Amino acid sequence: GQNIDQPTEMTATEGAIVQINCTYQTSGFNGLFWYQQHAGEAPTFLSYNVLDGLEEKGRFSSFLSRSKGYSYLLLKELQMKDSASYLCAVKPGYSGGYNKLIFGAGTRLAVHP
Amino acid sequence: KAGVTQTPRYLIKTRGQQVTLSCSPISGHRSVSWYQQTPGQGLQFLFEYFSETQRNKGNFPGRFSGRQFSNSRSEMNVSTLELGDSALYLCASSISALAGPGANVLTFGAGSRLTVL
C-alpha cells in the first residue's frame, strides 16, 4: 500500500526552531512536497525535493533521504503566523503519476509566545 | 493574477441528493485535480483532468464523477449523497501534467465545504 506518516500535532515557542518529520512508503517516487495550510484556507506550496539532501528557502528548509523514505521540514525563527497545518505529500511512480499526490494527514503546529 | 476559484464555498445537502462543485483554474493552467479533505484522513485524490481528458482517478465510488471543459474549468459531481461525503473538496490547478519527476506545483483553491445531513 501507500502510506505517509507525520506527527498529528506539535507545539513550539516563538523564535525557536521546529522539525516536522515525514516518513513514506509509496509505489515509486517522483518527488516529495510540503504544503502549508492555515485553518479555513487553501494549502500553499512550500518546498519540493526529488534528490537527497537539503533545500533551503528562507526560514524554511526541507530534507530528503530516499533510501530511508524520510523527509523533514525545518522551520527557523518561528513566528506566530507559522501556526498552521503542514502537509507532506509524495508524487508516486508512473502508475499513479501526473499530478496525483499522496498526502499525509498533516501536522498541526501551534506556535506560542 | 487570479487564483483558483471554487464555488460554492459552503453548501448543505441531505442524504440522497446530488451536488455539483465548480472550479476555475488559474489562467493558462490546463491541469485540474480534485481532492477530498476530512479530519484525520488528510487530502485524498479524487481525479485529475488535462485537456478535457481524465488522466487519473482515485479510489472513490462511481458516485463521484467529474469533467473538464475546453476553457479548463472543471466540475465534479457527487450523486446519492451519504453522510460520509461531508468534507472539504479542494481543487488544484497546474500548468501541465508531468508523468515523471518534476516540481509540477499544484495551486489550490480555498475549497467547497459540503455538509450532508
Side-chain angles (χ1 to χ4, degrees):
Chain A
Q2 317 221 68
N3 196 51
I4 297 181
D5 288 316
Q6 49 181 133
T8 304
E9 290 185 1
M10 299 183 71
T11 59
T13 305
E14 196 175 14
I17 299 173
V18 71
Q19 177 175 312
I20 302 174
N21 296 324
C22 171
T23 57
Y24 64 89
Q25 287 180 303
T26 56
S27 301
F29 178 83
N30 278 317
L32 187 144
F33 295 80
W34 285 95
Y35 281 82
Q36 179 191 60
Q37 186 178 26
H38 286 98
E41 297 183 12
T44 55
F45 170 75
L46 288 177
S47 68
Y48 172 74
N49 295 70
V50 68
L51 299 176
D52 292 350
L54 188 68
E55 295 280 343
E56 297 186 81
K57 198 186 286 188
R59 294 189 299 114
F60 293 7
S61 302
S62 56
F63 171 83
L64 175 68
S65 168
R66 288 172 296 170
S67 62
K68 295 181 180 178
Y70 168 71
S71 172
Y72 67 72
L73 180 69
L74 193 71
L75 292 74
K76 305 175 188 174
E77 301 168 15
L78 280 171
Q79 303 175 8
M80 298 297 290
K81 67 178 182 180
D82 297 330
S83 293
S85 287
Y86 291 85
L87 314 177
C88 174
V90 170
K91 185 174 180 180
Y94 183 78
S95 61
Y98 300 108
N99 283 327
K100 174 182 178 179
L101 297 182
I102 309 297
F103 279 85
T107 298
R108 194 160 53 248
L109 173 67
V111 179
H112 299 291
Chain B
K1 58 183 176 182
V4 178
T5 303
Q6 291 189 246
T7 56
R9 289 292 315 277
Y10 303 91
L11 65 167
I12 299 174
K13 294 284 187 178
T14 56
R15 278 182 299 173
Q17 288 187 308
Q18 75 163 20
V19 65
T20 298
L21 309 177
S22 179
C23 172
S24 294
I26 291 173
S27 178
H29 284 197
R30 297 170 61 194
S31 171
V32 173
S33 305
W34 288 89
Y35 289 81
Q36 181 194 67
Q37 186 174 30
T38 54
Q41 289 269 18
L43 277 76
Q44 296 190 290
F45 175 79
L46 280 157
F47 23 65
E48 175 189 357
Y49 290 88
F50 183 79
S51 294
E52 302 178 65
T53 301
Q54 187 179 88
R55 292 294 189 93
N56 216 334
K57 189 176 192 304
N59 190 25
F60 278 83
R63 300 185 296 107
F64 291 79
S65 63
R67 58 179 175 169
Q68 186 180 35
F69 302 96
S70 58
N71 62 358
S72 294
R73 192 177 70 84
S74 177
E75 288 181 349
M76 68 163 282
N77 184 278
V78 188
S79 62
T80 319
L81 283 166
E82 300 178 359
L83 295 179
D85 297 333
S86 294
L88 180 66
Y89 291 88
L90 291 163
C91 167
S93 75
S94 179
I95 287 179
S96 65
L98 298 176
N104 214 25
V105 176
L106 300 182
T107 302
F108 285 87
S112 293
R113 183 165 296 282
L114 170 65
T115 301
V116 182
L117 302 177

